[in-house]
Amino acid sequence: MEPKRLVIFGRQGAGKGTQCDRIVENFKVIHLSTGDMFRAAVAAGTELGQQVAPIMESGGLVSDEMTIAIVRERLAQADVVENGFVLDGFPRTPGQAEALLEMLGDRGLTAVVHLDVPLAEVTARMKARGRADDTDEGIAKRLALYDQETVPTIDWFSDRGLVLTVDGLGSEAEVTERLIKAISSASGG
Ligand code: AMP
């Protein structure tokens, strides 16, 4: 069977981390998180890590050029080509989205999954978990950034008929079931 090539979007607090794990278990795809890749580069003290560390600390975005380069290299590796992937945290801009489709060429994407949880619900969930950085102001700021930064990228994929919106409300198991159904029936755009 053709491996799944997926992108997942979801606000903080939407349950994206857990559902990514379920997608990996179910479809045997490789989880690719650009945030994890950058954090690994910082921890290893590579040249890339030294370049991105101050950007990450300030909460800004790494340049499209550097981000696209790191993804391009990883997507070309045999394990990813053979097993497929679920991209998490990339693309974050329409420029990155365009580069992604260009690098996949005829293989294309199977689907772009949008795990949809209303703003009021994710705000309530984040407040309930009570982390130190989850002040009302911090929560509002991070959620606003998602609307500014990520929503235009989801729209970019919607225009190309690739987005599967999955209702993220309900129990973890219910959401997993919806996701698996949606992805299983996706044929790519
Ligand atoms: P994350 O774990 O996805 O929140 O990513 C942590 C940090 O890595 C972000 O705040 C950005 O500085 C950087 N980063 C991760 N993915 C991207 C991306 N696709 N484009 C630009 N910067 C990114």
Side-chain angles (χ1 to χ4, degrees), residues 12 16 33-36 38-39 52 55-57 59-64 67 88-93 96:
Q12 269 195 322
K16 183 163 60 92
S33 151
T34 41
D36 286 352
F38 287 137
R39 278 183 289 272
V52 301
I55 303 170
M56 292 175 75
E57 261 164 47
L61 285 181
V62 176
S63 71
D64 277 2
T67 309
D88 176 10
F90 179 93
R92 282 255 225 304
T93 65
Q96 292 177 9

